[in-house]
Every structure is written in C-alpha cells, then in structure tokens.
Amino acid sequence: MNQELELVESMDKLSGLMRKFQTQLLTGDLKEYTLRQLYYIELIDKNEGISVSELSKKLDVKKSTVSIAINQLIKLGIISKIQSESDKRFYFLQLTLKGKDIMKMHKQVHKNTIKKILKILNPEEVDSFIKIVNKITIHG
C-alpha cells in the first residue's frame, strides 16, 4: 500500500476515534448539552472573568453569535454575567455551581480517555504523538 493511502486511512481512523470521544462526552449527565455548549463552558472555565467580546475574539466568531450562546447558558443556569465594578458597561462571565459540576464531569471523560491512551502508548510514543499533532496543527 502506498504511503498516501496509508496516511488517509490513518486519518480516517483518528477521525473515527475523535467522533467516539465526542459521543462519550455527550452521554450520561452531559447528554443534554451540545458540543458547542461544552466548548464554551470549557473556555469560560479556563478563562474565568472573560468578557463576551474577548470570547468572540478568541473564537474568531461574531459577538452576536457568542451572545446568543451565552444567553442560552445563562438561562440554563450554567454561567452568570457579573457587572464590572470599575466600568458598568462591561460584564464578565463565570461558571455557576452547575457549570462547575458540568466541568468536573467533562474533565472526568477527558481523564478516562487519557488513561486509555496511556495504557496503549509508552512515554516515548506519547511524546512523539504530541510533537506530531503539534507540527500538523501549526502547519495545517
């Protein structure tokens, strides 16, 4: 088999594995949320106090699109908007207790997936995998 075909098949396998991982994220207690919602929750968790404007820049998405998603998450009681003390025009986003619980579940799915990978790959293979993915994504 030629190298190009092997590479395409490997990418297909990796893509299938990623879909399986996403499916695992959307089962159990997390099944009522979309991948997009989970991604927003994760970004707010990693960037506590981020504003809607900063979030839209980070995602390279229109502010109005982000606002719609944020308002849905507020209605679900997952995040809250906190008005700035120094400038009343600005609001910062933070996770509520419900949002933090969702992140705990989300992180547990990640941990379980990583444990499976670490059982299969040795430390050198893990290093190689990380370097390869970084190299592909930087140049992709």
Side-chain angles (χ1 to χ4, degrees), residues 2-16:
N2 73 31
Q3 205 173 23
E4 285 181 19
L5 188 56
E6 284 184 49
L7 187 58
V8 168
E9 287 185 5
S10 294
M11 294 299 290
D12 284 345
K13 289 176 187 175
L14 189 57
S15 182

Side-chain angles (χ1 to χ4, degrees), residues 9-138:
E9 287 185 5
S10 294
M11 294 299 290
D12 284 345
K13 289 176 187 175
L14 189 57
S15 182
L17 187 63
M18 291 306 297
R19 277 193 300 278
K20 186 177 175 184
F21 175 66
Q22 289 174 341
T23 301
Q24 288 172 342
L25 270 177
L26 298 176
T27 58
D29 293 329
L30 296 177
K31 70 181 171 210
E32 60 191 270
Y33 308 106
T34 65
L35 282 172
R36 184 184 66 143
Q37 287 173 325
L38 291 172
Y39 186 55
Y40 275 73
I41 294 166
E42 187 173 19
L43 280 175
I44 293 166
D45 181 59
K46 288 179 181 175
N47 301 279
E48 180 105 7
I50 195 169
S51 69
V52 172
S53 296
E54 292 167 332
L55 197 55
S56 70
K57 284 178 194 162
K58 193 175 272 292
L59 293 166
D60 196 25
V61 176
K62 284 189 232 171
K63 188 178 170 188
S64 60
T65 304
V66 173
S67 291
I68 290 167
I70 293 304
N71 288 335
Q72 287 174 340
L73 293 171
I74 290 170
K75 285 179 188 170
L76 291 169
I78 296 168
I79 63 168
S80 57
K81 266 185 176 178
I82 309 297
Q83 191 172 30
S84 169
E85 291 291 322
S86 58
D87 188 339
K88 301 293 184 192
R89 296 173 297 170
F90 290 101
Y91 289 85
F92 304 101
L93 304 172
Q94 68 180 30
L95 295 180
T96 62
L97 286 175
K98 182 178 179 180
K100 289 177 182 176
D101 286 343
I102 290 168
M103 270 313 300
K104 283 180 194 167
M105 290 183 275
H106 184 87
K107 286 176 182 175
Q108 191 58 50
V109 172
H110 280 267
K111 283 180 188 174
N112 294 344
T113 303
I114 296 304
K115 280 181 189 174
K116 288 178 189 174
I117 292 170
L118 292 176
K119 284 181 183 175
I120 299 166
L121 301 178
N122 65 44
E124 294 83 27
E125 290 170 325
V126 172
D127 284 341
S128 294
F129 179 77
I130 292 167
K131 286 176 186 168
I132 290 166
V133 170
N134 286 337
K135 190 173 186 177
I136 291 170
T137 54
I138 288 169

